Amino acid sequence: MRQLSNAIQVDLAYEFLTRSFTPGETLAILLRSESQAKTQQRIVRFECAIAPRYLRWLAYENTRGANVYVAANPLRFGSRKRTKESIDEVRHLYIDIDSDGEVRLDAVRTSGTVPNPSTILSTSPGKYQVLWQVDEFRFAEQERLLKLLAIAFGGDPACTDCNRVLRLPGFLNNKYDPTHLVTAEYPSNSLSKPEHFRLDDALIDHIPICHRRSAQIVPAEKTNSENDWAWISRELAAGKDAVKLTRTLAECRSDKPNPLYYAQRTVDVASARLWLLEGIPFGDIVTMLEVRRRFEIPTTLNLPRAHEIARTAQHMISRQKIA
């Protein structure tokens, strides 16, 4: 495959498609324009999707502002829509990492609870889609693990549907100015099976979905999350109990998809930042975070989570110094 221009590289798309799907399968290709609020969806056979003429057409649409996506899982033969019912089989697990990208990606790479990803898509600066090519997965098992992955590694909890689309590498992410070329790396060629993911169901069980009205903790001069952060930071600096603060914040932010996860993370990152500023060694901070949540977070996830939170606090301090 040849490169069509200095920006778009359809050979990257060809490589991803041939690694991810097999001849005869049915794929969903999505074109979405940010400026015109226009979406096109094409249901095509694998052989059509990798054809040079078709890739050139996608490149043309991409240069006109359309973002290019492909469904993570193949569709049933004869499908005309990309619905959950039309998915043929589970081909990928995935998480969207939209913040603290390098830290969270490092947590995935170094975790002993999940296998090495098969593909890592760089979708924009500091943002990633992490994929595991899988085998022998039922749809219910996929949905369960997608939720666990998002909770464990700070992925987008909304991106857990089996008909999810992924950015297709080789094309430009037109959401940004300047545009960003979506690229892919392939850390592993292995197929992962359910037993390779050692994530504890308790991670979901301990996160309640509250239905109470959200109460503001401080006046909403900024976003609610910014107000939460400022309030928690002040309370911790004043010596207030972190566990009680976590419970209060979770109760007040029942608007969040996972109030307890949100509260735990806000309190722990703020604590780690405060401890670092006080000169407490990194290793001691990890231990304190681990001990704090030892009865709340599954054992297999508690230590890597503590490391990730301490590194996040380090990055926050570094960015503030640079600014």
Side-chain angles (χ1 to χ4, degrees):
M1 302 296 296
R2 65 185 179 86
Q3 182 171 311
L4 293 178
S5 71
N6 292 331
I8 297 172
Q9 300 180 37
V10 296
D11 57 319
L12 301 184
Y14 179 89
E15 181 180 14
F16 176 80
L17 291 172
T18 53
R19 279 176 168 267
S20 302
F21 303 99
T22 58
E25 289 187 324
T26 301
L27 312 184
I29 304 291
L30 191 70
L31 299 172
R32 181 181 296 144
S33 175
E34 298 285 343
S35 59
Q36 301 176 7
K38 178 183 177 183
T39 299
Q40 302 180 63
Q41 182 166 269
R42 302 295 177 91
I43 308 299
V44 299
R45 302 302 293 273
F46 169 83
E47 291 79 3
C48 173
I50 64 170
R53 182 177 179 180
Y54 194 81
L55 291 174
R56 285 196 296 269
W57 174 72
L58 292 177
Y60 170 71
E61 293 293 328
N62 192 217
T63 61
R64 298 178 64 199
N67 291 299
V68 184
Y69 304 84
V70 62
N73 297 312
L75 307 185
R76 293 177 180 172
F77 178 77
S79 296
R80 303 182 67 178
K81 295 181 179 180
R82 180 179 49 85
T83 62
K84 290 184 178 181
E85 293 74 22
S86 68
I87 300 300
D88 186 44
E89 66 174 82
V90 176
R91 180 63 47 81
H92 291 104
L93 298 184
Y94 34 82
I95 53 171
D96 277 28
I97 298 178
D98 290 334
S99 61
D100 297 319
E102 303 303 330
V103 173
R104 294 182 180 183
L105 187 58
D106 183 59
V108 172
R109 294 181 189 272
T110 58
S111 171
T113 59
V114 297
N116 208 18
S118 56
T119 308
I120 299 173
L121 301 178
S122 173
T123 58
S124 59
K127 297 185 178 183
Y128 302 94
Q129 289 179 324
V130 182
L131 315 179
W132 290 265
Q133 195 163 341
V134 298
D135 191 24
E136 299 181 6
F137 267 82
R138 298 187 304 273
F139 290 109
E141 185 123 42
Q142 181 201 32
E143 183 177 350
R144 180 183 72 87
L145 272 170
L146 288 177
K147 292 177 180 177
L148 287 172
L149 287 167
I151 294 167
F153 299 108
D156 186 344
C159 301
T160 56
D161 293 328
C162 64
N163 58 341
R164 173 75 176 157
V165 294
L166 311 166
R167 286 192 180 270
L168 192 54
F171 297 104
L172 302 175
N173 182 341
N174 288 309
K175 186 177 180 180
Y176 299 92
D177 187 14
T179 57
H180 178 84
L181 178 67
V182 180
T183 58
E185 61 174 291
Y186 302 99
S188 173
N189 291 320
S190 301
L191 288 177
S192 299
K193 298 185 178 183
E195 61 267 24
H196 297 152
F197 294 85
R198 298 182 297 278
L199 296 175
D200 196 329
D201 282 331
L203 195 60
I204 287 180
D205 294 339
H206 85 276
I207 298 175
I209 303 299
C210 300
H211 299 287
R212 293 182 294 274
R213 289 177 177 264
S214 175
Q216 291 183 337
I217 295 173
V218 295
E221 298 173 355
K222 300 180 180 180
T223 67
N224 286 336
S225 295
E226 289 171 330
N227 286 327
D228 293 343
W229 172 263
W231 177 73
I232 289 296
S233 297
R234 289 196 303 269
E235 294 294 283
L236 288 171
K240 297 295 180 65
D241 182 73
V243 175
K244 292 181 179 179
L245 288 174
T246 300
R247 185 162 54 248
T248 301
L249 181 57
E251 291 174 353
C252 290
R253 292 309 305 271
S254 59
D255 59 310
K256 288 288 185 180
N258 295 318
L260 183 57
Y261 168 79
Y262 169 79
Q264 288 173 332
R265 184 166 186 84
T266 301
V267 170
D268 288 354
V269 173
S271 296
R273 178 181 175 275
L274 181 64
W275 291 333
L276 286 167
L277 292 173
E278 291 175 350
I280 296 177
F282 183 90
D284 291 345
I285 292 173
V286 171
T287 300
M288 288 190 290
L289 291 171
E290 185 182 15
V291 170
R292 173 186 289 175
R293 303 299 179 191
R294 66 189 184 280
F295 300 122
E296 304 172 47
I297 305 294
T299 303
T300 55
L301 297 174
N302 199 11
L303 181 57
R305 174 189 180 275
H307 273 283
E308 185 269 324
I309 283 179
R311 286 195 294 267
T312 297
Q314 276 187 329
H315 282 275
M316 292 178 65
I317 294 171
S318 299
R319 286 198 299 268
Q320 288 171 346
K321 289 180 178 178
I322 293 173

